[in-house]
């Protein structure tokens, strides 16, 4: 099959002052594409051709190519990860497109995700959010018996639904406001339903939301575009849970001046 | 106070402010609709209702100032959030797509700002009597014949059409706003969320439909009665 690709080419990394840099959409015609190629194999095929013609290959992120690492995430025709629901870019195949199709490839567009080159964006903002509280603190020592803490099946499933997040950033890319609330909501929900998440529950909600706000993401307006593009099909339920958790944690927060009985010792 | 300001400035604090002030404004809109529907009861009924409101005196001013504060908070927060949303995406997509965002959800800022314009027009019209002075003059010397003023105004097609157009915007604004209220407060459930969405649709329809009925009343029922 034959495809006409419109690809965002940007040689210099985005800065706060100049986000688009020299970036522009460039058209490439590609023939002899097999419909059994994955989308990334099609790009490999294009890059091979570009390299042989003495042009710079198109930079794009990828790693596992089996839909679990969260590295890939090209915005294809305005949809992060492309037209197939619940699928990462690497798991998308050219049979999802018609012969002769015009396909638009763009990087994820968000102030918090500066473009490094072409289709590659810097998603460190997600790492900083995770470092702010998307974890549980565990004492070192001998591992505990796996079944020592009972978890109800419903709770385990809710936690697991949130834990399937691969941090690809598609939710931010799809959101009309470039909000990261599905991602951060997933981190809150992941621990909320588990007994291990309880001791740090309030602090986690406060710190995650504060870290998210600091990165310059937008705000959720409940349009649910994130849910529609999430390759792991995480529900906006996690956003509702995050809203609830943040408000609860803020209400329970004691003023910094508050002295506890017995002092700090 | 600084604690409260910091909460308001946070993303979720802003969302919560929109939700709570939005619900309060919805409460006002419902009360306003019930007042409007007095028109259907005839001249005496509506005028008696208007007199009752005016006789509240200082209480009326407490309500007006409270309402104004809620309104201002709703609008200021909306502008702050919208600006932050705009700046969160410095470069737009060359090709954009919408998968499941409703028309109502995507036009909240437009419908909201239009409604702000409508409220100003509406106050200038009926409350302050600055625009459409001819009809407002029907209020009479004692200032209590609201009925004649409303009937005279809505008998004019352009005025009625403008009011109806804004009610359509109100329908979309309320429809998305009411269901967002639940989500922002953390109410999300596989069974109840679809019900909340249907309820939001229904309530928005009742409010906008009820108001449209009032606007159409002079031209449909009264004209028929006269003939």
């Amino acid at each position: 099959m034959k495809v006409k690709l419109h690809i965002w080419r940007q040689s210099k990394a985005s800065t706060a002052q100049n986000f688009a840099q020299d970036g522009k959409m460039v058209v490439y015609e590609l023939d002899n594409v097999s419909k059994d190629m994955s989308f990334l194999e099609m790009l490999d095929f294009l890059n091979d051709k570009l390299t042989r013609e003495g042009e710079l290959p198109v930079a794009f992120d990828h790693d596992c190519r089996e839909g679990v690492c969260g590295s890939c995430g090209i915005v294809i025709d305005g949809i992060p990860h492309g037209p197939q629901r619940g699928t990462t870019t690497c798991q998308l195949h050219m049979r999802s497109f018609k012969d002769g199709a015009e396909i638009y490839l763009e990087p994820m567009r968000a102030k918090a995700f500066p473009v490094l080159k072409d289709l590659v964006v810097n998603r460190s903002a997600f790492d900083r959010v995770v470092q702010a509280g998307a974890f549980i603190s565990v004492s070192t020592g001998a591992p505990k018996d796996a079944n020592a803490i009972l978890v109800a099946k419903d709770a385990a499933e809710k936690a697991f639904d949130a834990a399937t997040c691969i941090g690809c950033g598609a939710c931010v890319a799809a959101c009309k406001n470039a909000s990261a609330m599905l991602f951060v909501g997933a981190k809150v929900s992941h621990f909320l339903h588990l007994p291990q998440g309880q001791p740090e529950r309030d602090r986690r909600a406060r710190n995650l939301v504060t870290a998210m706000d600091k990165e310059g993401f937008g705000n959720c307006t409940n349009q649910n575009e994130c849910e529609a593009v999430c390759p792991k099909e995480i529900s906006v339920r996690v956003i509702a849970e995050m809203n609830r958790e943040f408000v609860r944690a803020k209400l329970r927060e004691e003023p910094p001046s508050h002295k506890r009985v017995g002092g700090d010792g | 106070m600084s604690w409260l300001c910091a909460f308001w400035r946070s993303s979720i604090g802003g969302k919560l402010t929109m939700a709570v002030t939005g619900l309060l404004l919805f409460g006002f809109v419902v009360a306003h609709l019930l007042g409007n529907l007095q028109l259907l009861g005839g001249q005496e009924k509506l005028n008696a209702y208007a007199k009752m409101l005016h006789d509240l005196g200082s209480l009326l001013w407490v309500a007006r100032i409270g309402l104004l504060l809620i309104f201002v908070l709703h609008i200021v927060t909306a502008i702050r959030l919208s600006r932050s949303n705009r700046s969160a995406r410095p470069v737009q997509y060359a090709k954009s797509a919408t998968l499941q965002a409703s028309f109502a959800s995507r036009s909240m800022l437009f419908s909201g700002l239009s409604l702000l314009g409508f409220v100003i027009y509406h106050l200038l019209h009926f409350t302050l009597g600055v625009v459409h002075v001819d009809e407002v003059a029907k209020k009479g010397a004692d200032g209590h014949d609201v009925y004649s003023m409303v009937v005279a105004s809505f008998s004019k097609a352009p005025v009625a059409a403008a009011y109806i157009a804004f009610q359509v915007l109100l329908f979309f604004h309320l429809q998305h706003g009411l269901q967002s209220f639940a989500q922002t407060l953390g109410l999300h459930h596989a069974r109840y969320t679809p019900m909340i969405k249907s309820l939001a649709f229904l309530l928005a329809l009742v409010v906008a439909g009820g108001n449209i009925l009032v606007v159409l009343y002079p031209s449909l029922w009264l004209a028929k009665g006269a003939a």
Side-chain angles (χ1 to χ4, degrees):
Chain A
M1 61 189 280
K2 200 171 169 178
V3 288
K4 190 172 178 183
L5 304 166
H6 297 255
I7 304 179
W8 179 264
R9 300 301 307 261
Q10 180 177 331
S11 64
K12 279 183 241 149
S14 297
T15 58
Q17 291 75 32
N18 188 353
F19 211 86
Q21 294 286 10
D22 59 340
K24 60 178 186 295
M25 298 300 287
V26 178
V27 181
Y28 299 96
E29 306 236 11
L30 196 59
D31 209 349
N32 297 323
V33 174
S34 160
K35 63 183 182 5
D36 294 326
M37 280 179 181
S38 77
F39 197 81
L40 297 187
E41 281 166 347
M42 182 276 292
L43 282 179
D44 291 335
F45 184 54
L46 169 74
N47 280 345
D48 194 42
K49 179 174 169 247
L50 291 179
T51 309
R52 273 188 278 110
E53 288 168 359
E55 267 193 72
L56 278 174
V58 178
F60 63 92
D61 252 336
H62 61 101
D63 190 18
C64 76
R65 296 208 181 194
E66 52 189 24
V68 295
C69 78
S71 290
C72 63
I74 300 166
V75 179
I76 303 163
D77 288 338
I79 306 170
H81 295 300
Q84 197 173 322
R85 274 204 159 192
T87 307
T88 53
T89 307
C90 63
Q91 294 291 294
L92 179 70
H93 288 79
M94 292 312 291
R95 53 181 166 267
S96 296
F97 299 91
K98 286 197 187 101
D99 188 16
E102 277 198 49
I103 310 171
Y104 286 76
L105 286 80
E106 292 176 78
M108 295 179 174
R109 303 277 191 205
K111 185 169 75 181
F113 289 168
V115 175
L116 294 173
K117 190 174 200 283
D118 299 339
L119 303 173
V120 180
V121 296
N122 181 352
R123 282 167 287 187
S124 304
F126 269 10
D127 298 335
R128 289 187 290 272
V129 171
V130 167
Q131 282 159 10
F135 52 80
I136 56 162
S137 303
V138 180
S139 307
T140 53
K144 306 269 189 303
D145 180 6
N147 295 322
I149 303 170
L150 297 179
V151 181
K153 180 137 179 19
D154 287 352
E157 280 180 356
K158 277 185 176 168
F160 189 71
D161 283 348
T164 55
C165 172
I166 53 175
C168 65
C171 44
V172 174
C175 178
K176 304 283 181 204
N177 312 318
S179 167
M181 288 202 183
L182 193 74
F183 171 77
V184 182
K187 301 302 149 208
V188 170
S189 180
H190 179 166
F191 298 105
L192 173 64
H193 300 284
L194 298 176
Q196 292 91 335
Q198 300 314 307
E200 289 157 304
R201 181 177 169 182
D202 285 4
R203 194 170 60 190
R204 178 180 309 113
R206 281 197 301 266
N207 291 355
L208 281 175
V209 173
T210 307
M212 167 180 78
D213 289 353
K214 215 190 277 175
E215 295 295 339
F217 292 108
N219 310 283
C220 176
T221 48
N222 306 319
Q223 299 184 301
N224 305 353
E225 288 289 287
C226 50
E227 182 186 77
V229 301
C230 176
K232 301 299 158 187
E233 299 183 295
I234 294 172
S235 156
V236 291
R237 166 179 65 83
V238 301
I239 300 182
E241 287 176 350
M242 174 182 62
N243 293 338
R244 200 163 66 205
E245 283 299 296
F246 181 72
V247 173
R248 177 184 180 274
K250 273 291 183 192
L251 286 173
R252 284 159 53 92
E253 189 177 22
E254 284 166 352
S257 59
H258 182 76
K259 289 265 189 295
R260 280 174 185 80
V261 176
D264 293 334
Chain B
M1 266 324 260
S2 68
W3 172 85
L4 205 61
C5 281
F7 179 69
W8 178 76
R9 258 191 293 267
S10 72
S11 54
I12 294 177
K15 274 161 57 84
L16 192 77
T17 308
M18 292 307 291
V20 173
T21 54
L23 190 78
L24 292 171
L25 290 171
F26 173 71
F28 166 71
V29 165
V30 170
H32 192 299
L33 169 69
L34 294 177
N36 288 348
L37 289 174
Q38 305 298 314
L39 179 85
L40 308 186
Q43 187 160 16
E44 276 173 32
K45 190 114 191 232
L46 182 69
N47 287 349
Y49 173 74
K51 188 169 181 328
M52 188 270 286
L53 280 185
H54 270 271
D55 290 349
L56 287 175
S58 53
L59 257 176
L60 182 66
W61 278 102
V62 171
R64 277 174 170 170
I65 290 167
L67 194 60
L68 182 71
L69 287 178
I70 296 168
F71 229 108
V72 168
L73 196 57
H74 193 72
I75 294 162
V76 169
T77 311
I79 291 170
R80 178 179 74 76
L81 291 174
S82 300
R83 281 171 59 112
S84 124
N85 293 345
R86 288 263 161 98
S87 79
R89 177 159 293 142
V91 181
Q92 297 298 315
Y93 288 108
K95 183 156 184 176
S96 60
T98 297
L99 295 174
Q100 60 180 33
S102 64
F103 168 77
S105 75
R106 289 192 295 144
S107 52
M108 283 307 267
L109 188 67
F110 170 76
S111 57
L113 290 175
S114 306
L115 286 168
L116 172 63
F118 169 69
V119 167
I120 293 170
Y121 164 71
H122 183 51
L123 287 175
L124 291 176
H125 181 189
F126 284 139
T127 310
L128 301 170
V130 180
V131 290
H132 307 310
V133 183
D134 301 351
E135 297 99 68
V136 178
K138 302 231 165 149
K139 213 170 175 177
D142 59 344
H144 286 312
D145 194 3
V146 175
Y147 180 86
S148 301
M149 173 180 77
V150 172
V151 169
S153 293
F154 290 154
S155 299
K156 292 196 166 175
V159 178
Y163 271 80
I164 290 171
F166 283 112
Q167 290 308 314
V168 173
L169 287 177
L170 182 66
F171 164 75
F172 286 117
H173 200 77
L174 287 181
Q175 190 212 329
H176 183 69
L178 286 171
Q179 65 173 68
S180 282
F181 171 81
Q183 170 77 2
T184 299
L185 257 69
L187 304 167
H188 188 103
H189 190 277
R191 179 172 292 138
Y192 307 122
T193 297
M195 287 187 198
I196 290 169
K197 287 187 179 177
S198 306
L199 187 67
F201 182 87
L202 201 69
L203 286 173
L205 198 67
V206 166
V207 167
N211 281 329
I212 289 174
L213 190 71
V214 170
V215 175
L216 290 176
Y217 179 74
S219 47
L220 290 184
W221 280 265
L222 289 186
K224 214 178 271 176

